[in-house]
Structure formats: C-alpha cells, structure tokens
Amino acid sequence: MKKILISLAAASALLVGAAAYAEEAGKAGEASHEANPTHFPIHKPKEMSWSFAGPFGTYDKAQLQRGLKVYKEVCSACHSMKLVAFRTLSDLGYSEAQVKAFAAGYTVQDGPNDAGEMFERPGIASDHFPSPYPNDQAAAAANGGAVPPDMSLLAKARGIERGFPQFIIDIFTQYAENGPDYIHSLLNGYDEQPPAGMTIPEGTHYNPYFNAGVSLKMPKPISADQVTYDDGAPQTVEQYSEDVSAFLMWAAEPHLEDRKKTGFRVIVFLLLFAVLMYLTKRKVWSNVAH
C-alpha cells in the first residue's frame, strides 16, 4: 500500500510539473508570437459608426469640411490628391466664390507658353489638387525612400479583408467602410508601444494597425490642437482622424449618395414590377382551365 501511495505521489508531482512547464511554454510561445507576428495588421481596425454607412447613409458636410481642412494643413504636405478637382468641393457645401478662392490658394504648373516654357499660376476651379513634389523620385528622396501614396482613392484601396464568415455577414449588412475604418485606426495607433522583444527597423514607426508590417516609414502625422476648427468640434487626434477619413471616403466615392438613392429606387421599381407581373398573370390565366 505504501508503494502505491508513493507511486501516486510521484505521478502527481510529474503531472503538476508537466502542467507548469506547458503553461510557461505557452506563455513563452505567446510572447514570441507577439514579438514576431506573421499576419498584419496586428490589431483589427475599429469599426466606426459613419454617417455614410448603410443603404440610406449620407455624407456629413460639416465633417467633410473639417476633413478637408485637416488634409490641407497636414496631409497635403506629403500626399497628393491628383484625381480630385477643386470644382467638386461645391459638393461639400461651398459656394462657387469659395471654391475659386480655395483653388487660388494653390500654385499650379501650366504650359508650355508661347516661348515653349512651363510656368506657374494660381489654381482655378477646373484644376486638380497639385502634388507637393515634382515627381516620385523627389517624393521618395524626401521621405526616406518611400513615396507617400496618392490619397484620391486611398479610402477604397486600403480596406482590410475581414475573412470568413464575417464577409458573408457584411453582404447583408452592406458594410463597405473598411477603408475609412483602417485609416482612422492607423492614425490613432502611433501611441501604442510594441511588445517586449519586437525589433522595429531603424527609421520606421511601430503601428499595430499597419497592414504591411510591424512599422511604417510615416511618423505620427498629427497631434491634438494642431488644426483649428471653427465650428467648435473637439481638436483631438480622434476627431481629426474621423474627419479626414470621412473626407477621403468622399474623395474616393463622391457619388455615393446618388448611387444609394438610385439603388433604392431600382429596388422599389423591381418590387412593384414583380407585384404587377403577378397580378397580370393571375388576370390572364384566371379563366383558363388547368
């Protein structure tokens, strides 16, 4: 009996030791995975509540105007928006005179003139937002070898795939705001600290929401109170990121409201057409023997 008890005690000690070892190994493995992630972004973007979301969503013009101000005063120093014309800013609630005045604040290269030379002039409403750099080589040289992406379609090009089964659910909820969600989270992710043991390449900045690695060349672009709002909105990084993300969504899809209105009318028409076809069928075949 004594031998049996000793054997049971030894076996229990071995089990406890094995469990403790497995727990420590699990913690070590988890720490190693955090320090060496293989899937990006490390954190999923926060799903925001946008005014333009859903089948009846519309743009908040006040928010778009604030986002334009953030882009002009912060983002335009590095990022171009070559596909957006100044005249389209009338969709944000600006008058024709305000659009012309805004465009005139930019210097645009034009030409050639009669002498065959290029020249610079104030912008006009039909011009597009000019690039802050003369070419991609100059842009790369000024930004550590990385060319800042054009922001015209950024909100549609930087969406994060949500995987199965979430993308199935998104079909029914009509979720299409993964681009603005990603931009918003990225702008707010700079203050997070990397896990212990993670190596951040020199000259880059850790951001767990970046979709191509643990860090990116772009430093934190904006801080609280950097842009002055005239409408009393909070001057925080959270608010700035929301506003500029909404503005970039508008830049990428300026006809979103018209598209949704047209889609709703088409659905209503198809439903009425289906009802009329059913009633017509009943009328035509009602006196025919089956």
Side-chain angles (χ1 to χ4, degrees):
M1 184 67 181
K2 184 178 180 179
K3 291 182 178 180
I4 295 176
L5 292 175
I6 292 174
S7 300
L8 290 174
S12 299
L14 287 173
L15 290 174
V16 170
Y21 175 80
E23 183 178 357
E24 291 300 322
K27 290 180 179 179
E30 184 177 350
S32 176
H33 176 72
E34 290 181 355
N36 300 282
T38 56
H39 295 87
F40 304 102
I42 299 172
H43 296 166
K44 293 182 180 179
K46 178 182 177 183
E47 187 171 340
M48 301 293 292
S49 178
W50 302 103
S51 65
F52 48 83
F56 305 106
T58 58
Y59 287 121
D60 181 344
K61 291 185 178 181
Q63 184 179 49
L64 297 184
Q65 291 182 10
R66 295 195 301 268
L68 170 61
K69 191 169 188 179
V70 173
Y71 169 77
K72 180 182 179 182
E73 297 185 16
V74 180
C75 309
S76 64
C78 298
H79 295 273
S80 61
M81 202 155 59
K82 301 175 184 177
L83 301 181
V84 180
F86 292 123
R87 63 174 179 268
T88 60
L89 297 180
S90 59
D91 295 342
L92 275 58
Y94 293 112
S95 65
E96 182 178 351
Q98 288 175 314
V99 171
K100 289 181 178 179
F102 185 90
Y106 284 83
T107 299
V108 177
Q109 188 179 61
D110 202 351
N113 56 18
D114 294 339
E117 298 177 347
M118 304 299 291
F119 62 93
E120 294 184 342
R121 59 167 175 78
I124 58 176
S126 59
D127 289 325
H128 291 68
F129 280 84
S131 173
Y133 304 103
N135 50 61
D136 287 347
Q137 288 75 13
N143 293 276
V147 179
D150 182 82
M151 284 188 159
S152 304
L153 303 175
L154 195 68
K156 302 293 286 186
R158 288 294 189 271
I160 301 298
E161 294 183 3
R162 288 158 56 100
F164 181 85
Q166 188 61 51
F167 80 90
I168 300 294
I169 300 174
D170 291 343
I171 294 174
F172 297 97
T173 61
Q174 297 193 353
Y175 173 77
E177 295 75 48
N178 49 353
D181 284 345
Y182 170 71
I183 297 171
H184 168 266
S185 293
L186 184 73
L187 292 176
N188 282 278
Y190 281 93
D191 293 331
E192 296 194 27
Q193 298 300 314
M198 178 178 285
T199 301
I200 306 300
E202 184 178 356
T204 65
H205 306 269
Y206 174 73
N207 194 313
Y209 296 100
F210 185 45
N211 67 353
V214 298
S215 60
L216 68 165
K217 288 276 189 180
M218 183 176 72
K220 183 178 180 179
I222 194 167
S223 302
D225 296 320
Q226 185 172 342
V227 178
T228 301
Y229 281 158
D230 302 323
D231 61 358
Q235 296 177 179
T236 62
V237 174
E238 174 71 24
Q239 189 66 51
Y240 292 151
S241 59
E242 285 187 35
D243 295 340
V244 76
S245 297
F247 171 70
L248 293 178
M249 181 64 179
W250 169 82
E253 195 168 3
H255 303 298
L256 176 142
E257 294 180 357
D258 293 336
R259 175 176 62 78
K260 291 186 176 183
K261 290 177 182 177
T262 300
F264 176 73
R265 291 166 184 160
V266 169
I267 294 299
V268 171
F269 168 78
L270 291 176
L271 290 174
L272 292 176
F273 183 74
V275 171
L276 290 175
M277 289 299 295
Y278 174 75
L279 295 176
T280 300
K281 179 258 184 187
R282 292 289 301 272
K283 179 68 175 178
V284 170
W285 295 95
S286 61
N287 296 322
V288 178
H290 295 284

